[in-house]
Amino acid sequence: MGERAILIEFEPEISENTLEKVLFYKNKIEDHYFKVKVEVINTYNSLLVYYVYTIENVYDEVSALKGLFQGTKITKKSIVQLYDIPVCYDAEFGLDLKLISLEKNLSLDQIIRLHTQPIYTVYFIGFLPGFLYLGGLDKKLQISRKIQPRMEVQKGAVGIGENQTGIYPKSSPGGWQIIGNSPVPLFDKNRLPPCEISAGDKVKFYQVSKSEFLNISEEIKEGKFQFKKVDYEGGN
Amino acid sequence: MKAEIEVLQPGLFSTIQDPGRNGFLKYGVPMSGVMDLYAAQMANLILRNSPNSAVLEITQMGPKLKFSDPAKISICGALLSPKINNFKIGNNRVYKIEAGDELSFGKRQLGCRAYLAISGGFKTEKILKSRSWFEGITDNFKLNKNMKLPYESTNESKIETNASIKFTSEYLVTSEIGVFPGPEFYLLTEGEQEILRSRNFSIDKNNNRMAIQLQEIMGNTLKPIITGPVLPGSVQLTPSGKLIVLMRDCQTTGGYPRVMQLSETGMNKIAQKIMGDSVSFAFLESPHL
């Protein structure tokens, strides 16, 4: 892709299997290039190797990359982090809960249960700094985006759009159906790295009350907040 | 005392930029950085600055700035009629600034973006290893009245001229933009490919540091793709059949087909175009392996 990047594409599907493959090769490429200035980013089924300086000989680079892909057995990264993320589903935040309840014929409790049950997979970060692309939303909660996107969705808003769910890391225009809000800092520009959670990690939501929500917000302000996380064995 | 530039008038739109923010794409942080890398690096080179020094990127209508301390400056890129204390100055030269001097800009003559470099570079805050302004990352994201821009004063009286540096401003005029076929180019029909190869397109009013939209509607038979990586210079074909050239502040991923990828010089050239300007695409060979 141009003079600074090589794009590697895998089969066009959104699946854990493809992600495993993508992340496996991502690690390999990062190890291989640890001395050279490159950035490797992944999406559902792509790897982009971005060279900070323009590529001198693209054929050499491509054959080096091809070499990395030869004769290696894909092994799962055995342990990733599972993050517990608090969400307040109060009506004050869950602007579209009623609409989903009517359209999907689900009670509020059912919606919350369906949303907090799964262990979601972080496929990658994109769209906005710190925006996690999560896979694993229950089919019963899948709902189309708003026809007229909101001009401003609040920071921390938790939303659903088609088969995806996620958290807005900052206020921005957005078309997802909003069901709650999470106070956790997904992106901190004054921290290195700025995101604690990365591609391949797992996420689970749990419900908090408004007062718990405010407590956590206070902790974050005072710099005392720490993510609740545990090691998670890759093999489901 | 700290040397500072005071912003007397902000002009249309100016930002501090360096070559960009590297290493944070995987967290969804746009690269940012100067739109016309060539002009910015020339401005630094003339001053013997490091190519990584931060410059002021000035769009179409320049600001009015007051210097607190002596400095050396240079301006490259668009011709925006710069003046020091009401004396006309030119691009691509080193000028000595005295304490209290004012730099202002007048009528736009050619191009879109000019680069003001200062000896030692601007010393504004560094966030995530770059001084490039971007809303949400840096506290400042556009030049405002009364803002102060720190720099290192220099009292060196001698101006060394780098006579050997030849700056070409021809690229400000040319409408031919070098491109490589994008990942989805070969999914286009031959007719659509031919449109990209042969037609002229014009710059839409929607053009900024994130993206430059082109006015013409070329149609679109492609389906959206699974969200994939995009880069500055990626040209997306939207469902409405319009082309969007992503620029330095673009998002890191996107779901529209990427039909072309601008060359490095192509990016510099299109960064100098304003609304209504015409561009055509010259395809460069790309190894599609």
Side-chain angles (χ1 to χ4, degrees):
Chain A
M1 242 168 112
E3 289 152 282
R4 291 198 194 212
I6 295 172
L7 177 70
I8 303 160
E9 290 186 313
F10 297 75
E11 51 279 17
E13 59 175 38
I14 300 175
S15 73
E16 299 252 338
N17 268 337
T18 305
L19 181 71
E20 256 162 43
K21 236 185 272 178
V22 168
L23 292 180
F24 172 77
Y25 287 114
K26 182 184 183 182
N27 279 330
K28 276 201 86 162
I29 295 169
E30 280 173 342
D31 288 349
H32 174 75
Y33 278 106
F34 74 100
K35 275 189 270 180
V36 192
K37 279 205 153 187
V38 299
E39 279 189 65
V40 190
I41 59 167
N42 78 283
T43 56
Y44 294 111
N45 69 325
S46 301
L47 280 175
L48 185 79
V49 187
Y50 176 80
Y51 297 73
V52 174
Y53 302 103
T54 49
I55 302 169
E56 252 175 54
N57 186 329
V58 71
Y59 294 98
D60 286 355
E61 290 301 330
V62 170
S63 61
L65 286 171
K66 277 191 171 164
L68 293 180
F69 279 73
Q70 260 157 24
T72 43
K73 221 179 129 225
I74 294 163
T75 48
K76 243 179 229 182
K77 202 176 157 190
S78 54
I79 292 177
V80 296
Q81 300 295 305
L82 168 62
Y83 288 87
D84 269 327
I85 296 195
V87 177
C88 178
Y89 295 92
D90 283 11
E92 176 191 347
F93 297 124
L95 307 175
D96 300 313
L97 280 172
K98 267 204 184 128
L99 184 144
I100 299 172
S101 173
L102 287 172
E103 199 164 309
K104 297 277 154 186
N105 199 19
L106 295 165
S107 70
L108 291 185
D109 280 347
Q110 283 173 316
I111 295 174
I112 294 167
R113 208 171 321 129
L114 288 170
H115 194 251
T116 51
Q117 233 161 28
I119 290 175
Y120 298 97
T121 301
V122 180
Y123 279 84
F124 58 96
I125 302 172
F127 168 52
L128 290 171
F131 185 88
L132 311 173
Y133 278 80
L134 298 177
L137 182 68
D138 195 300
K139 279 206 169 65
K140 291 187 208 99
L141 282 181
Q142 296 187 6
I143 186 164
S144 48
R145 293 175 178 81
K146 295 218 154 304
I147 296 167
Q148 191 69 41
R150 287 193 170 92
M151 291 300 284
E152 189 173 323
V153 174
Q154 234 182 44
K155 179 181 176 182
V158 177
I160 294 176
E162 315 293 346
N163 58 352
Q164 297 183 81
T165 184
I167 309 166
Y168 285 85
K170 64 169 193 178
S171 301
S172 84
W176 283 16
Q177 310 286 357
I178 305 302
I179 60 169
N181 195 291
S182 176
V184 300
L186 291 168
F187 182 82
D188 181 354
K189 63 182 188 176
N190 296 313
R191 186 179 170 278
L192 279 179
C195 298
E196 159 122 15
I197 304 175
S198 57
D201 281 337
K202 303 280 177 179
V203 162
K204 197 169 190 299
F205 295 116
Y206 67 98
Q207 185 182 12
V208 292
S209 67
K210 181 73 192 288
S211 65
E212 286 169 296
F213 176 93
L214 292 174
N215 283 343
I216 297 168
S217 304
E218 200 54 40
E219 273 181 37
I220 292 166
K221 237 190 246 162
E222 291 167 6
K224 287 184 199 152
F225 174 80
Q226 283 200 320
F227 275 100
K228 279 192 211 161
K229 58 176 174 180
V230 290
D231 287 350
Y232 181 86
E233 295 275 342
N236 301 306
Chain B
M1 204 191 82
K2 230 171 62 188
E4 284 177 337
I5 288 176
E6 187 189 347
V7 180
L8 302 179
Q9 282 164 23
L12 181 65
F13 181 78
S14 298
T15 59
I16 294 286
Q17 297 292 336
D18 59 18
R21 199 161 266 115
N22 286 311
F24 302 98
L25 289 175
K26 62 171 169 240
Y27 305 114
V29 180
M31 244 178 257
S32 299
V34 289
M35 292 276 277
D36 178 351
L37 191 60
Y38 173 67
Q41 292 198 328
M42 278 314 228
N44 276 325
L45 187 62
I46 293 171
L47 290 171
R48 304 190 169 192
N49 278 353
S50 140
N52 297 326
S53 302
V55 297
L56 185 69
E57 179 176 281
I58 298 165
T59 313
Q60 292 193 51
M61 257 179 57
K64 190 172 185 185
L65 308 170
K66 187 174 178 174
F67 296 77
S68 70
D69 290 83
K72 286 191 286 182
I73 61 160
S74 69
I75 299 166
C76 288
L79 304 179
L80 304 181
S81 313
K83 285 179 192 168
I84 295 175
N85 301 334
N86 285 324
F87 289 102
K88 281 184 191 167
I89 61 166
N91 276 22
N92 315 322
R93 281 192 49 188
V94 177
Y95 289 94
K96 218 169 144 335
I97 292 282
E98 303 295 344
D101 277 356
E102 287 182 16
L103 173 69
S104 61
F105 294 83
K107 198 175 169 331
R108 185 194 72 89
Q109 291 173 309
L110 192 61
C112 180
R113 292 178 171 90
Y115 292 86
L116 168 66
I118 190 159
S119 44
F122 286 91
K123 298 295 177 198
T124 49
E125 61 170 354
K126 225 178 195 177
I127 302 276
L128 300 177
K129 299 182 182 175
S130 164
R131 296 187 209 274
S132 289
W133 285 1
F134 180 73
E135 194 170 358
I137 300 288
T138 49
D139 289 342
N140 293 320
F141 56 91
K142 68 185 270 247
L143 204 63
N144 284 324
K145 198 175 168 167
N146 299 329
M147 208 176 239
K148 303 268 172 48
L149 305 172
Y151 64 95
E152 275 164 17
S153 168
T154 162
N155 258 320
E156 225 179 291
S157 56
K158 222 173 83 194
I159 288 185
E160 293 153 54
T161 49
N162 270 325
S164 56
I165 298 173
K166 208 173 168 300
F167 182 86
T168 155
S169 49
E170 198 192 323
Y171 80 106
L172 296 172
V173 187
T174 171
S175 62
E176 204 177 81
I177 308 291
V179 293
F180 298 94
E184 280 74 49
F185 179 78
Y186 295 103
L187 301 178
L188 294 168
T189 64
E190 273 180 30
E192 288 166 336
Q193 292 180 18
E194 191 50 36
I195 290 173
L196 292 177
R197 288 183 198 279
S198 58
R199 290 252 184 102
N200 282 322
F201 293 89
S202 27
I203 308 287
D204 190 69
K205 67 174 187 303
N206 290 315
N207 71 88
N208 53 40
R209 288 188 38 86
M210 277 191 197
I212 295 174
Q213 199 170 318
L214 303 178
Q215 277 170 19
E216 291 72 13
I217 294 171
M218 66 166 273
N220 181 1
T221 53
L222 298 178
K223 287 194 194 84
I225 55 167
I226 295 178
T227 298
V230 294
L231 283 173
S234 297
V235 184
Q236 296 178 317
L237 181 59
T238 66
S240 68
K242 277 194 172 186
L243 295 167
I244 294 181
V245 185
L246 300 183
M247 296 304 287
R248 305 278 179 187
D249 282 347
C250 70
Q251 294 176 1
T252 55
T253 57
Y256 296 145
R258 301 150 295 184
V259 293
M260 298 184 285
Q261 179 72 36
L262 266 55
S263 68
E264 294 294 315
T265 52
M267 296 243 289
N268 300 334
K269 285 178 188 170
I270 207 162
Q272 292 296 353
K273 301 285 176 255
I274 64 164
M275 183 182 122
D277 281 353
S278 172
V279 292
S280 61
F281 299 109
F283 276 75
L284 301 161
E285 239 177 85
S286 164
H288 198 80
L289 305 148

